[in-house]
Amino acid sequence: MARKLAFISLVSVFVALLGFAALLVEARPQVATTHAAKREAMATYPELTNAQRLRRGLPLSKPRQLFSPTRVRARDASPSYIPTAQTGYIKVVRTSDNAVLGYMSSSYLNASPSPYTWYGLSQSRLLVTFTPPGSGVFDISISTPGYDYPFLGLTGSSMPSPTNPDPYQQNVGRITQTNQTPPGAPPSDVLNGRWPYSLTSESAVWNYDSGTKEITAVWVTEGASATYPVHFFSWTGVAAHVDGFAFTTNTLTYNGLLDLYLVPADKSQAVRFYFESA
């Protein structure tokens, strides 16, 4: 009886092993099929983001580019602006056709003791030095020796708004040598009696475009209530006390302004200034 039970147990174990083996055989194709289904699902809608795939019950896509420590590097630092001193001359260009007319004169157009002492157009060249900041106005130093005042500046009085249409409220200013005034400050009487009547001046008025090398200027109004860009003109062949560089803050009624100053239109040329290295 014991032998019969042992035999039956062995048979039962054998049958169980056969059944387990059959299950393994049947499971293998299912695994392969599952892997194939996953690959097919991952290839479906390749344009979808992983977030979109999750919402649709699809498997996540593999990263297109795996992390590699050899590709990691520090971000390039932006170069900081370093102010650089510029020494050279101021070239005068006619606005209408970009023709070079000459240079800012190395001496006053009307020499002392004449009270009308301002700069004009000449082939002699005024040597200047400036260090433009990253932004904002700055001073231009006069490097040509023999000057009473160290800076190139603007002098004028009651310069009007650029939108003022009244020609009788217009005025012109001049380019002169001056003592220093702070950036953004209103015009100050720092010419020390050089003029026979009261004219104020400003030194920190200049701007510089390092790309084009153009030098421009602004005028701060009395009381520092506003800052206006200025427009430069060259008056030539009019009269000794009129010739030279003039500027205005309003070009709307410029022809009327010429009439007030008795300047024929053909004696006035709009000009721009450019830096030329020494």
Side-chain angles (χ1 to χ4, degrees), residues 4-271:
K4 185 176 182 181
L5 289 175
F7 175 75
I8 292 173
S9 298
L10 289 174
V11 171
S12 299
V13 170
F14 180 72
V15 171
L17 289 175
L18 288 178
F20 180 71
L23 289 175
L24 289 178
V25 172
E26 291 178 0
R28 286 178 183 172
Q30 291 177 358
V31 172
T33 302
T34 301
H35 288 173
K38 286 185 177 181
R39 286 195 298 269
E40 182 180 355
M42 291 175 65
T44 304
Y45 309 114
E47 72 282 358
L48 295 180
T49 65
N50 278 335
Q52 294 170 329
R53 300 180 73 87
L54 282 174
R55 286 196 296 268
R56 299 189 181 195
L58 297 173
L60 300 179
S61 297
K62 292 182 178 179
R64 292 189 178 91
Q65 188 175 20
L66 298 176
F67 170 77
S68 173
T70 60
R71 289 197 298 267
V72 177
R73 64 182 180 86
R75 182 176 295 177
D76 294 335
S78 300
S80 57
Y81 177 78
I82 301 176
T84 304
Q86 308 285 336
T87 298
Y89 312 102
I90 299 177
K91 183 168 57 179
V92 183
V93 173
R94 186 164 52 212
T95 301
S96 61
D97 59 1
N98 293 323
V100 177
L101 301 179
Y103 295 86
M104 188 170 293
S105 54
S106 60
S107 60
Y108 274 141
L109 201 62
N110 303 290
S112 181
S114 168
Y116 304 104
T117 48
W118 47 66
Y119 290 99
L121 184 65
S122 175
Q123 294 304 313
S124 65
R125 301 180 294 181
L126 179 72
L127 186 65
V128 298
T129 300
F130 59 91
T131 303
S135 62
V137 294
F138 55 88
D139 296 302
I140 293 181
S141 300
I142 297 174
S143 298
T144 298
Y147 281 84
D148 296 330
Y149 304 111
F151 296 100
L152 187 70
L154 303 181
T155 182
S157 176
S158 301
M159 304 305 294
S161 161
T163 58
N164 188 334
D166 185 356
Y168 293 96
Q169 293 186 17
Q170 308 307 308
N171 205 346
V172 295
R174 297 289 188 164
I175 300 177
T176 186
Q177 55 174 297
T178 179
N179 281 319
Q180 190 174 33
T181 61
S188 304
D189 186 7
V190 294
L191 293 177
N192 297 338
R194 170 65 70 114
W195 298 81
Y197 48 90
S198 178
L199 279 182
T200 51
S201 63
E202 304 174 11
S203 68
V205 297
W206 305 103
N207 288 289
Y208 178 61
D209 186 325
S210 60
T212 64
K213 298 187 180 299
E214 184 175 7
I215 297 174
T216 57
V218 296
W219 178 262
V220 181
T221 61
E222 287 78 358
S225 58
T227 300
Y228 301 139
V230 304
H231 307 272
F232 291 106
F233 298 88
S234 177
W235 293 353
T236 307
V238 183
H241 65 284
V242 177
D243 286 357
F245 294 127
F247 75 85
T248 181
T249 55
N250 186 317
T251 59
L252 293 177
T253 57
Y254 182 67
N255 290 334
L257 189 62
L258 293 180
D259 292 339
L260 291 177
Y261 282 83
L262 303 178
V263 178
D266 61 345
K267 303 296 184 182
S268 171
Q269 302 180 89
V271 295

